Amino acid sequence: MFEQLANVLIYQIGGLSPSSPLGASLHFFVMDTAKIFVMLIIIIYIMGLFRTLLSPEKVREYIRGRSKALARTLAIILGAVTPFCSCSSVPLFIGFVEAGIPLGVTFSFLIASPMINEVAVVLLLGILGWKLTLLYVIAGLTVAYIGGVAMERFHPEKWVEPYVWKIQMGQIVQPAVDTSLRGRHEFAKSEVQDIVRRIWLWVLIGVGVGAMFHGYFPESWIESLSDKDNLLAVPMAVILGVPLYSNAVGVIPLAEAMLIKGVAIGTTLALMMSIAAISLPELLILRKVIRLPGLLLFVSILTVSIISVGWAFNFLGGYL
Amino acid sequence: MINIKVLGSGCSNCKTTYARIEKAAQDKKVEITLEKIEDMAQIMSYGIMSTPGVVIDGEVVHAGGIPDQKKIEAWF
């Protein structure tokens, strides 16, 4: 459906040839923009109907007092499915600390949350297929698990701003919400507006970069990234991704274009993860609760884990 | 006079929430005192972990995300 739309717009009305770089780029851009926005609206709306199932407050209750391994597993899974805006990272961090949840577990949650979310997963399914979606989710969960365990080894408590330990939380309150069908519809509608307003630009940038990649990047340039035996490809992709920041959703079209061009799976996954998981705005927010050395360590650990997972997938790529 | 507090660490969602409440009160000609609470210890003392939060006369009525117009008007 979206392909036909792009065919008509670009090749028939626009008169561009599918073999020209401009035609190929614009075709990709139109097709992906239409596809992504339609899917986004449907997914967010449906998720909005099922609100109140999960919130950071509830996650905290599920995790607190559990054994470390169970707590971490829960934190990662719940982190992946719980919607929370990165501006809530600080209260969330303090809330977890206050509940006595180990810092390593909290870090696992903070890594999993931006990398994997329901919107990204459904888009991945629609655009890249179930196999890659599954790989991305497994890769993300693995990085979150390893990352949290590794942070713990360094006793990150010493980098937590002292005021955090002193905060006393009040009784947890959950404001009552309207659970009638009408109330749910209204909420879902406002969620769609809210999220689309927040991420539309990232999506356009992501599709735009993907489209350029699709039409203009010469094969030879990509060869260095696409050779799965080239061990440097993964670290290169990750280092490229660290300063780039996008919502997990905006990364998907770029990944799509890379895969079409023959970049190895592990390299693509590594770039996606580093763009989604490590972002300057998020770090600046976390700086309010963790001192600089702790943050630098956090970034280094994430980088190393993402590179390792990328290598593993490239290595396994032949068998998948 | 209704006392409304917006709890949030100064992110864009919190600012939008503040502005929306301010505007809704003007439109409806409701007299309110609107405060911004940015101190983390105070925010947490209300028992919320998602911001922005909204407190009316000491009671938390909203946590996480921007409240929509209808919800805001229902508070007045």
Side-chain angles (χ1 to χ4, degrees), chain A residues 57 60 87-88 91 170 173 186, chain B residues 11 44 46-47 49-51 70:
Chain A
E57 290 84 356
R60 189 176 98 132
C87 57
S88 291
V173 275
E186 288 295 330
Chain B
C11 61
M44 303 294 292
Y46 284 99
M49 274 166 59
S50 334
T51 55
K70 278 184 201 133

Side-chain angles (χ1 to χ4, degrees), chain A residues 252-312:
Chain A
I252 294 169
L254 176 62
E256 180 189 12
M258 284 172 74
L259 288 169
I260 294 171
K261 286 278 182 175
V263 175
I265 289 178
T267 314
T268 309
L269 289 174
L271 181 76
M272 288 173 80
M273 287 191 287
S274 71
I275 291 180
I278 310 174
S279 73
L280 195 60
E282 167 96 9
L283 290 174
L284 285 176
I285 291 170
L286 280 179
R287 174 65 194 85
K288 289 183 187 164
V289 281
I290 306 160
R291 286 189 296 115
L292 202 56
L295 276 186
L296 291 177
L297 181 72
F298 182 59
V299 174
S300 321
I301 287 178
L302 264 177
T303 308
V304 173
S305 341
I306 292 174
I307 291 175
S308 321
V309 171
W311 274 336

Side-chain angles (χ1 to χ4, degrees), chain A residues 56-57 60 85 87-88 90-92 94-96 163 167-173 175 186 190 194 197-198 288, chain B residues 9 11-14 20 40-41 43-52 60-66 68 70-71:
Chain A
E57 290 84 356
R60 189 176 98 132
C85 144
C87 57
S88 291
V90 169
L92 186 132
I94 299 174
F96 276 28
Y163 80 93
I167 289 181
Q168 291 284 317
M169 256 185 101
Q171 183 69 37
I172 285 282
V173 275
E186 288 295 330
S190 68
D194 222 49
R197 190 172 26 219
R198 210 163 58 219
K288 289 183 187 164
Chain B
S9 49
C11 61
S12 70
N13 279 356
C14 313
R20 275 200 190 175
M40 212 27 87
I43 293 175
M44 303 294 292
S45 70
Y46 284 99
I48 61 162
M49 274 166 59
S50 334
T51 55
V60 177
V61 292
H62 176 85
I66 303 169
D68 62 36
K70 278 184 201 133
K71 195 169 177 186

